[in-house]
Amino acid sequence: MEITQEFKLIDKIEPPVKNGRRTFSAVQTVTPQGEQPAEYTASQEYVISHNAFTLGADEVFSVYPANGEAGDFAGTLPYITLNQRTLPWAFGGSPFLALLVLKSSEIIEQGEIEIKELFTPTSGTYFPKKPEFPEIYSEDDTERCRFIDISRRTYNDIFPSSSDIPLLAHVKFLNLSRAQDKVCGKDGYFSVILANRFVPSDSEGETFSECHLVTVFGHGKGVPADCEKVRLVSLYSWNIRSRSEKGRPFTELVKGLSKNCKEIGGDRTGGESVLMPHYTRTGEMTYSLYRPPLAAGECEEIPQLSRARTADGRLIYDKKIGIFDVSYAAAFQLGRLITLSRPEMAEKVLSHRNDSKAAAHKEVIDRIVSDTNENLDLDALADLLISY
């Protein structure tokens, strides 16, 4: 079946069977020849459960902004995309998950604790009582989970209300039929949890923030007056660094570029290159030359890279200074990503490649047929195939 819809938003998708104990019964009536009907019954109790205090890393598809990313996120609402379409509604009704964005200074304490210790009263710290949680969940009470403690004031300021929580979760469908990596094996349905707070940012310097996916069981009913702290279960977390660029003078922004690059003078293309940090495919960190692909300049030498099929194949080693030039590799990768972002163009490129391979194969076969009485140059034929 051809999928024609590229993108779709869905309010929610609840699992067909809710979390809890279920009994399945079967009845079979057998009527032997000449005898009275006999009825046979059987029943089996099943427990359907889901994790309520932990989350596997394989259940997270992506987060935004990315973990450790730095930038101007002053007007950004972070979100987390989960592989399971029904996960937020695993316990039925309203979502049991919420995404909080906290400045590092707003987190009083965080760490790991056994699940059963969560329900041990701690003086001055509020945590919902066990009856507020589902009766059945997948974890054992001796398993460990992560927690964070925040002040009562912070909790009252940022924790979403019970009416907002359903609005912060939804399901999205993406057409993955054209994806060429492992993502294409997915059905295209993902659940999304959106934060209710913009990333904290300051124009004076970077603000370090943490995003925590927390459970909402027992929350939203108010915090007792004798509790100055609130404890939350954190199923997943990541970090963000943000600095607001609004209001900063242009001269300061330009000066900030010096933190990431450095001019070293003219290069083989007659322009100016910069020395930038370069992480290789194998993980090592080095410094390499780079210049924008659209920068004007005379080119004294054109590298012979016609057979390079990857960005790494277009790295150039500058013998004069002993380092790599990544300019061609970056331009190659940029062109590749632009092409892949346009499905019609990507299909034309794929069709051209297939036609080229078919033509090369036919040429080799024709040579073999025509040169049956002569010595075949196998090396030349191999080169011919590699060139396509």
Side-chain angles (χ1 to χ4, degrees):
M1 180 178 67
E2 183 180 358
I3 301 175
T4 57
Q5 195 163 20
E6 297 293 327
F7 180 76
K8 180 168 59 176
L9 290 178
I10 305 169
D11 184 38
K12 65 177 179 178
I13 299 180
E14 295 189 32
V17 183
K18 301 290 191 302
N19 193 79
R21 289 187 175 88
R22 299 289 185 275
T23 300
F24 294 89
S25 301
V27 179
Q28 184 179 20
T29 302
V30 179
T31 307
Q33 187 174 3
E35 299 181 15
Q36 293 296 323
E39 188 174 270
Y40 300 90
T41 63
S43 62
Q44 178 67 52
E45 186 180 75
Y46 290 87
V47 175
I48 300 173
S49 63
H50 197 279
N51 289 6
F53 301 91
T54 58
L55 185 71
D58 59 339
E59 296 190 66
V60 177
F61 179 73
S62 65
V63 297
Y64 180 81
N67 183 31
E69 189 171 357
D72 181 4
F73 301 117
T76 299
L77 289 175
Y79 61 86
I80 181 170
T81 303
L82 305 171
N83 284 311
Q84 292 188 41
R85 67 176 84 178
T86 61
L87 177 55
W89 304 274
F91 295 94
S94 182
F96 77 100
L97 299 171
L99 184 61
L100 302 184
V101 184
L102 298 158
K103 292 190 291 187
S104 57
S105 59
E106 293 174 333
I107 299 177
I108 300 173
E109 184 181 356
Q110 60 179 311
E112 291 190 356
I113 193 174
E114 288 189 2
I115 294 174
K116 62 182 180 182
E117 295 178 14
L118 288 170
F119 303 107
T120 302
T122 303
S123 178
T125 300
Y126 170 73
F127 187 78
K129 296 180 179 180
K130 194 165 187 178
E132 301 283 355
F133 285 77
E135 179 185 359
I136 297 172
Y137 44 82
S138 298
E139 299 97 337
D140 187 271
D141 283 346
T142 59
E143 290 185 39
R144 300 182 70 82
C145 65
R146 290 199 61 82
F147 74 90
I148 56 172
D149 288 346
I150 60 177
S151 69
R152 176 180 178 174
R153 179 178 179 180
T154 301
Y155 174 84
N156 290 333
D157 286 344
I158 71 169
F159 200 88
S161 65
S162 56
S163 59
D164 287 341
I165 289 174
L167 304 177
L168 298 172
H170 65 271
V171 177
K172 67 178 178 182
F173 167 78
L174 300 173
N175 183 359
L176 303 177
S177 60
R178 296 188 178 92
Q180 297 187 8
D181 53 16
K182 62 181 180 180
V183 178
C184 65
K186 299 182 181 295
D187 61 7
Y189 287 90
F190 303 91
S191 56
V192 180
I193 305 294
L194 185 70
N196 67 333
R197 182 192 193 187
F198 291 123
V199 178
S201 304
D202 191 338
S203 60
E204 299 300 322
E206 280 189 337
T207 301
F208 186 84
S209 300
E210 299 181 22
C211 297
H212 287 267
L213 185 67
V214 302
T215 60
V216 301
F217 297 122
H219 291 287
K221 299 181 180 181
V223 180
D226 60 343
C227 293
E228 293 300 324
K229 295 192 300 183
V230 177
R231 177 158 294 179
L232 300 163
V233 175
S234 176
L235 285 77
Y236 190 85
S237 64
W238 74 97
N239 304 322
I240 304 172
R241 291 179 294 146
S242 180
R243 178 172 180 173
S244 176
E245 306 295 349
K246 186 177 180 179
R248 294 179 63 196
F250 177 75
T251 53
E252 185 178 349
L253 295 175
V254 173
K255 290 179 180 178
L257 296 175
S258 62
K259 297 180 180 179
N260 297 320
C261 59
K262 179 181 178 182
E263 292 188 7
I264 62 170
D267 62 2
R268 67 172 59 82
T269 59
E272 295 292 329
S273 290
V274 293
L275 195 62
M276 298 191 66
H278 175 202
Y279 290 90
T280 65
R281 187 178 294 273
T282 53
E284 295 88 352
M285 189 273 188
T286 183
Y287 284 87
S288 299
L289 290 172
Y290 171 76
R291 67 190 304 271
L294 300 181
E298 297 182 1
C299 187
E300 300 177 357
E301 177 185 357
I302 301 178
Q304 300 299 319
L305 301 171
S306 59
R307 294 187 180 182
R309 299 295 186 185
T310 64
D312 281 355
R314 296 181 181 268
L315 292 172
I316 304 170
Y317 183 69
D318 193 318
K319 297 180 181 179
K320 295 181 180 179
I321 55 179
I323 61 175
F324 281 100
D325 187 325
V326 301
S327 303
Y328 280 89
F332 175 90
Q333 184 71 356
L334 177 62
R336 178 178 178 274
L337 292 175
I338 291 175
T339 302
L340 291 176
S341 68
R342 301 175 179 178
E344 293 183 0
M345 182 60 67
E347 290 176 1
K348 290 180 180 179
V349 171
L350 181 61
S351 177
H352 172 71
R353 286 185 175 180
N354 292 336
D355 292 343
S356 299
K357 290 178 181 178
H361 180 73
K362 183 178 183 303
E363 186 173 346
V364 171
I365 297 301
D366 291 343
R367 279 200 182 187
I368 293 176
V369 172
S370 62
D371 296 346
T372 51
N373 297 323
E374 301 178 11
N375 294 327
L376 293 177
D377 188 346
L378 297 181
D379 291 337
L381 291 180
D383 290 340
L384 178 63
L385 289 175
I386 293 174
S387 65
Y388 286 94

